[in-house]
């Protein structure tokens, strides 16, 4: 429900809903705090989201999920890319399932203009899971930036078929395909 509120422009309401649930405590509290950071990262001030991730990581150092969340926020919002790269790489090193962190790192590589590195990470992700629409979308952007327009168009068509609203999602992050 918080995600839906944020997507429809009610970030304050989304955060308030999460804060209410967080205040109740319980086993879901860490997940809800991470969700709050994610929602703030996608729809609010990325610096506030990163600060919340910093707090969460200080409480649970070495969490690949939290490190990847912070990396994703930095990459999608195109901020603090030097430390985003470190976050993603550390998440990859610490995780048993590296696909999400590789996807995030590919986005950071793309933002940094390091297209061969982005493509390598995306190829690894898609070899393991060809149905990741987000990875295909970013791969299309990377291929387009590399002047490989035909391949980019194919990847973009696949991404859109897998997730018909992907353009809207990535438009929030400044992508125009």
């Amino acid at each position: 429900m918080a995600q839906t509120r944020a997507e429809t422009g009610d970030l304050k309401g989304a955060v308030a809903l999460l804060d209410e649930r967080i205040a109740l405590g319980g086993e879901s509290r860490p997940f809800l705090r991470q969700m709050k950071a994610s929602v703030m990262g996608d729809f609010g001030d990325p610096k506030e989201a990163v600060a919340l991730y910093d707090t969460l990581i200080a409480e649970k150092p070495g969490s690949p999920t939290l490190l990847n969340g912070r990396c994703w926020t930095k990459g999608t919002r195109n901020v603090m890319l030097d430390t985003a790269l470190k976050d993603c790489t550390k998440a990859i090193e610490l995780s048993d399932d590296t696909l999400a962190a590789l996807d995030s790192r590919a986005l950071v590589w793309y933002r940094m203009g390091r297209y061969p590195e982005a493509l390598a990470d995306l190829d690894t992700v898609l070899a393991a899971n060809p149905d990741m629409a987000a990875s295909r979308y970013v791969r299309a952007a990377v291929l387009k930036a590399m002047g490989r327009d035909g391949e980019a168009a194919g990847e973009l068509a696949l991404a859109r078929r897998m997730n018909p609203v992907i353009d809207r999602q990535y438009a929030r992050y400044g992508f125009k395909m």
Side-chain angles (χ1 to χ4, degrees):
M1 184 176 265
Q3 181 76 20
T4 302
R5 282 188 178 186
E7 285 177 3
T8 59
D10 185 13
L11 178 62
K12 267 186 155 177
V15 170
L17 181 64
L18 288 166
D19 284 341
E20 288 172 16
R21 297 288 310 268
I22 290 166
L24 294 173
E27 289 181 24
S28 64
R29 188 171 184 264
F31 169 77
L32 293 168
R33 290 176 72 208
Q34 181 179 342
M35 182 175 223
K36 179 180 175 181
S38 176
V39 166
M40 290 171 58
D42 273 354
F43 301 98
D45 181 350
K47 290 180 182 163
E48 286 182 39
V50 169
L52 182 51
Y53 274 117
D54 291 345
T55 299
L56 297 171
I57 291 168
E59 293 170 5
K60 192 174 178 184
S63 166
T65 303
L66 294 173
L67 288 163
N68 183 49
R70 186 168 66 183
C71 169
W72 179 252
T73 294
K74 291 174 182 179
T76 56
R77 301 303 293 277
N78 205 14
V79 297
M80 301 176 251
L81 296 179
D82 56 334
T83 58
L85 196 56
K86 292 175 187 174
D87 288 339
C88 287
T89 300
K90 186 151 180 136
I92 292 164
E93 292 168 353
L94 295 171
S95 182
D96 293 330
D97 182 6
T98 60
L99 296 184
L102 282 165
D103 177 77
S104 298
R105 187 172 73 177
L107 178 62
V108 173
W109 286 130
Y110 169 77
R111 295 287 199 192
M112 297 174 91
R114 295 180 60 180
Y115 306 128
E117 292 91 337
L119 198 56
D121 280 352
L122 292 165
D123 287 346
T124 300
V125 170
L126 292 169
N129 186 351
D131 295 330
M132 289 186 67
S135 294
R136 291 210 176 271
Y137 194 86
V138 175
R139 189 170 192 277
V142 170
L143 289 168
K144 187 175 179 183
M146 295 174 82
R148 295 164 58 180
D149 293 345
E151 290 174 83
E155 287 293 335
L156 185 57
L158 279 172
R160 286 174 172 159
R161 233 177 294 144
M162 290 179 205
N163 181 354
V165 298
I166 198 158
D167 286 297
R168 184 175 43 164
Q169 176 188 352
Y170 275 80
R172 279 197 319 260
Y173 309 140
F175 280 73
K176 292 176 181 76
M177 296 294 289

